[in-house]
Amino acid sequence: MDRTELADFLRRRRARLTPADVGLSQGARRRTPGLRREEVAQLAGMSADHYTRLEQARGSRPSRQMLAAVARALRLTGDERDHLFHLAGEEPPRDRRPATEHVRPGLLLVLDRLTDTPAQVVSDRGDVLARNAMARALHGDVSARPEAEHNVVWRYFTDPAARELFPPGDRDRAARAAVADLRATLARRPDDTRLAGLVRRLRAHSEEFAALWDAHDIAVRRSDVKRFLHPVVGLLELDCEVLLSPEHDQRLVVYTARPGSRSRERLELLRVVGLQDLTRG
């Protein structure tokens, strides 16, 4: 691990970004160009102190998960992400892997520009890779949770609180859709050991998942209308648009409310409420 080069690389990549580049407000006058360290830490879902130590060439060796989060926060290209991994003494994610967790900077830019509607980037395994502020207000912030709990399918079948976001009458449909989509993904990538491991763990932890898996339903997630029962703003009926990456292993999911509807009013309220309830997620 080359701590000095890693620290220099992080500082220079942070300096080239502006708050507008990552969907943050400009705020008070800045003495130096670029993002502040605490802003990068916030985007990466890590403590400001931990990130500061990286830029000061000290502290513990960053994990692969942390490196991936920092790469997303700094909007690194694929080549820059690989360089970051090399500097940290890690083998970078290879394109030959069944699926990539690196979200392209252009896709993150689109996500950041969507300030008035929830949007998130999710892998076809169900891993949450990035969420804008509105999506965190709707679904909760998973960045501080263990890596396994970043997966929406895992949480739906193992955490009863995750189901409370859906009206009771919609929960069975949501469960069936999640399992059918996961089966379609495994059929496309039967050698994806991480995906196969997720299925094994889900079958062991949830009798409901095991029964739905054995039903062998197949259905890829596409555009839909979804209802959410938010604890603050109430029932939201939202149009769900699913945009696929060129490799089809990542999805940009955007939720919009129809103009003039009660859901539109409640979505506006959700934007005002923002992330005040930090205990959710």
Side-chain angles (χ1 to χ4, degrees):
M1 176 179 175
D2 191 332
R3 295 182 182 277
T4 302
E5 287 294 311
L6 175 62
D8 182 70
F9 182 66
L10 291 175
R11 289 193 299 267
R12 292 180 183 276
R13 288 303 169 270
R14 175 170 61 84
R16 74 179 181 179
L17 292 173
T18 68
D21 291 332
V22 296
L24 298 175
S25 61
Q26 182 66 29
R29 183 177 179 180
R30 293 169 183 259
R31 292 175 295 178
T32 58
L35 296 179
R36 298 187 175 99
R37 287 171 175 168
E38 57 266 26
E39 290 171 333
V40 176
Q42 174 189 343
L43 292 167
M46 59 192 294
S47 73
D49 182 61
H50 200 159
Y51 179 78
T52 296
R53 288 199 298 269
L54 288 178
E55 283 204 4
Q56 293 176 343
R58 59 191 182 90
S60 60
R61 180 172 176 169
S63 66
R64 294 181 64 85
Q65 179 185 355
M66 182 178 295
L67 291 171
V70 170
R72 290 194 293 269
L74 292 174
R75 305 310 192 244
L76 301 186
T77 66
D79 291 339
E80 290 170 338
R81 174 209 60 190
D82 290 354
H83 184 63
L84 175 68
F85 271 73
H86 283 307
L87 292 177
E90 292 283 349
E91 183 68 18
R94 297 265 63 92
D95 292 337
R96 65 176 179 267
R97 291 178 63 189
T100 177
E101 295 181 358
H102 180 65
V103 184
R104 300 191 318 277
L107 192 55
L108 287 170
L109 182 63
V110 172
L111 193 69
D112 294 332
R113 291 296 187 268
L114 297 172
T115 58
D116 62 347
T117 193
Q120 59 184 356
V121 179
V122 183
S123 75
D124 58 1
R125 286 189 296 251
D127 298 321
V128 177
L129 304 179
R131 276 177 174 163
N132 67 2
M134 284 288 285
R136 292 194 296 272
L138 176 62
H139 297 286
D141 188 358
V142 300
S143 60
R145 286 178 170 269
E147 184 177 3
E149 296 184 29
H150 291 200
N151 186 278
V152 295
V153 185
W154 173 262
R155 286 202 61 208
Y156 191 86
F157 284 97
T158 63
D159 182 0
R163 297 197 173 210
E164 294 178 1
L165 186 60
F166 297 88
D170 295 358
R171 293 170 188 172
D172 180 67
R173 176 173 175 264
R176 291 179 180 277
V179 177
D181 181 74
L182 204 61
R183 247 202 184 279
T185 302
L186 187 59
R188 291 194 305 272
R189 294 205 309 275
D191 297 328
D192 188 332
T193 56
R194 181 172 175 179
L195 177 57
L198 172 64
V199 171
R200 285 196 300 271
R201 293 194 302 274
L202 280 165
R203 287 178 63 91
H205 279 80
S206 170
E207 293 182 0
E208 179 188 14
F209 178 90
L212 291 173
W213 186 264
D214 290 341
H216 212 127
D217 290 335
I218 298 289
V220 177
R221 288 185 185 270
R222 293 185 173 87
S223 300
D224 197 0
V225 176
K226 289 191 174 183
R227 300 196 306 162
F228 299 98
L229 194 58
H230 192 273
V232 177
V233 303
L235 183 65
L236 292 161
E237 184 173 288
L238 304 176
D239 292 323
C240 173
E241 290 294 333
V242 181
L243 308 177
L244 299 177
S245 66
E247 297 81 11
H248 287 200
D249 62 353
Q250 292 180 5
R251 300 148 183 193
L252 173 61
V253 185
V254 182
Y255 301 98
T256 58
R258 295 175 184 176
S261 66
R262 289 292 301 276
S263 291
R264 180 63 188 177
E265 296 175 0
R266 290 169 179 169
L267 201 59
E268 287 292 332
L269 177 59
L270 182 64
R271 182 167 62 164
V272 174
V273 172
L275 297 176
Q276 293 178 8
D277 184 2
L278 297 177
T279 62
R280 294 181 59 246

